[in-house]
Amino acid sequence: MNYKIVRLNTALRTSKTSSVLIIYTGGTLGMAYDDSGALVPFNFGQILEKIPILYTMDIAITVISFPEPIDSSNVTMSHWKDMAYIIYENYDSYDGFVVLHGTDTMAYSASMLSYMLQGLNKPVIFTGAQLPISAMRSDARENLMTSLEIATAKINGEPIVPEVCVFFNHLLLRGNRSKKVQSVHFDAFESENYPPLAESGIVIDYNTQAIRPLESHKKLVTRSSLDNNVLILKLFPGITQNVIDAMLNIKGLKAIVLETYGSGNSPSEAWFMDSLQKAIKKGIIILNVSQCNGGRVIQGRYETSKELLNVGVISGTDMTTEAAVTKLMFLLGQESKHSDVVAKLKVALAGEMSA
């Protein structure tokens, strides 16, 4: 990957006690208004002009920028591979990493990197903003500065948060438990099925019991083989057999995230169950997650979900859709055996689901 490197505070680098690598992928945070009033990406080497208080932080900062900052709606598997590669390549040189990313697909990217970066023992903090950094009431300054502080936070020389996270509007969330729920308010992200890892106020309060423990004996390994032959099928009242069959028979399809109602319920019509069973017999994996924000699938709790269990649909328990679809992409790229993919879907790889 050809990326741009900008070092900040280099003259003071030897006197700084901590170091952070910022990976700028794009998004609202890194934009400014041009003369015509349009939002355009600014040169991230000028970040100290936008947030001069960064000079006072006891952190040596390096910025690596994507050659062309992207709108997060355009994120692809290749971008995930680039992010993981940059972290892996620079892992030993920094105390932590901050990924500046557009909010629309941040939860997808944070989920995927939590799987790809195996053996991670340093903070990787995704953050962004609802308003550009040049706006008067921008949330960008607070989100960036607090993310930098969390990325370097240590107790007894060890990182407090050695996992992939999302920080937004005072809350630090596990990356693969986060979900974007707002587009017009600053509290854009929630984690309904898992408690926040930290909350920032006058001080940053860490919920140490919720944070993944440090596994210092492990070395970082990146797993970059991915497979995107998956789809998300959201059920709705009145969905037809033609729609279901058309989607289940897409050429090359390997897996489906089935968004069901409530605690994992679906239509119980014979044609619907028959269509699912035919797909499963062809080797297509179907993973059941709830449409509800904060929902948990309990297949068999109601009669309408018992048949899903009988035909071979896998329960996604309390995974978000973002964590489920990226987990399928990851496992399909990593495992050669269908049975291994199925087995690993049922266990947590990076804290994305409850036991």
Side-chain angles (χ1 to χ4, degrees):
M1 176 187 178
N2 295 318
Y3 44 74
K4 301 175 184 175
I5 300 178
V6 178
R7 285 189 169 81
L8 312 179
N9 297 342
T10 51
L12 303 175
R13 190 174 180 86
T14 55
S15 66
K16 297 293 182 177
T17 59
S18 301
S19 60
V20 172
L21 177 63
I22 296 176
I23 302 170
Y24 175 52
T25 69
T28 302
L29 186 148
M31 291 189 171
Y33 294 101
D34 65 10
D35 294 338
S36 68
L39 279 173
V40 295
F42 69 85
N43 180 353
F44 220 83
Q46 300 170 343
I47 186 65
L48 292 175
E49 297 176 13
K50 305 292 182 180
I51 314 179
I53 198 171
L54 289 175
Y55 276 118
T56 68
M57 297 184 76
D58 193 22
I59 302 173
I61 301 170
T62 301
V63 179
I64 285 182
S65 175
F66 275 22
E68 294 183 7
I70 57 170
D71 186 299
S72 72
S73 299
N74 291 322
V75 165
T76 65
M77 292 194 302
S78 66
H79 296 119
W80 291 332
K81 293 177 183 180
D82 289 340
M83 294 177 212
Y85 175 76
I86 291 171
I87 292 169
Y88 177 77
E89 186 182 47
N90 294 278
Y91 188 69
D92 293 333
S93 301
Y94 298 92
D95 295 298
F97 303 84
V98 172
V99 183
L100 303 183
H101 195 290
T103 58
D104 286 346
T105 60
M106 187 184 294
Y108 290 93
S109 293
S111 295
M112 181 59 88
L113 259 67
S114 76
Y115 306 135
M116 295 178 72
L117 297 173
Q118 298 190 358
L120 180 70
N121 277 302
K122 293 183 179 182
V124 175
I125 315 298
F126 278 78
T127 195
Q130 295 287 64
L131 289 174
I133 207 165
S134 58
M136 182 181 300
R137 295 188 304 106
S138 176
D139 54 336
R141 299 175 187 84
E142 172 65 24
N143 287 346
L144 176 56
M145 291 180 62
T146 307
S147 294
L148 289 169
E149 186 174 350
I150 293 170
T152 57
K154 295 181 180 181
I155 295 179
N156 298 324
E158 295 185 339
I160 298 178
V161 190
E163 60 175 291
V164 179
C165 306
V166 167
F167 179 80
F168 220 89
N169 193 46
H170 310 301
L171 291 179
L172 181 70
L173 309 176
R174 176 166 290 168
N176 55 36
R177 293 286 195 152
S178 65
K179 177 182 285 288
K180 184 177 181 181
V181 295
Q182 288 283 353
S183 61
V184 295
H185 299 292
F186 288 144
D187 54 343
F189 288 84
E190 290 181 357
S191 174
E192 288 293 323
N193 284 336
Y194 199 77
L197 306 186
E199 186 168 356
S200 68
I202 295 175
V203 297
I204 300 175
D205 291 321
Y206 291 95
N207 182 3
T208 54
Q209 291 185 331
I211 297 170
R212 296 192 75 198
L214 188 75
E215 298 177 307
S216 55
H217 62 284
K218 291 187 177 180
K219 293 191 65 175
L220 180 67
V221 177
T222 57
R223 306 292 187 192
S224 58
S225 180
L226 309 175
D227 189 330
N228 63 352
N229 285 294
V230 303
L231 66 79
I232 298 170
L233 174 52
K234 184 169 185 172
L235 298 181
F236 58 89
I239 194 168
T240 66
Q241 183 173 359
N242 287 339
V243 169
I244 294 290
D245 288 344
M247 297 184 77
L248 296 180
N249 287 288
I250 292 173
K251 185 177 180 180
L253 181 65
K254 295 180 180 178
I256 295 168
V257 174
L258 183 67
E259 283 197 352
T260 55
Y261 309 123
S263 57
N265 302 311
S266 72
S268 56
E269 285 93 339
W271 67 262
F272 179 75
M273 294 300 173
D274 184 58
S275 294
L276 295 185
Q277 190 169 40
K278 286 179 180 177
I280 291 170
K281 286 182 177 179
K282 288 194 303 183
I284 294 175
I285 296 168
I286 302 181
L287 182 63
N288 185 2
V289 300
S290 175
Q291 295 181 13
C292 300
N293 187 20
R296 180 187 179 98
V297 169
I298 309 174
Q299 289 188 164
R301 182 176 186 179
Y302 295 99
E303 188 65 31
T304 49
S305 67
K306 185 180 294 184
E307 195 59 31
L308 293 175
L309 183 64
N310 293 338
V311 300
V313 173
I314 300 167
S315 171
T317 66
D318 58 354
M319 272 194 290
T320 64
T321 295
E322 294 87 341
V325 71
T326 50
K327 187 175 183 178
L328 280 169
M329 290 182 186
F330 175 76
L331 289 176
L332 288 170
Q334 294 297 311
E335 305 297 334
S336 57
K337 293 182 179 179
H338 180 278
S339 58
D340 290 340
V341 175
V342 171
K344 291 187 177 181
L345 280 174
K346 297 177 180 180
V347 297
L349 301 181
E352 73 281 359
M353 59 192 289
S354 299

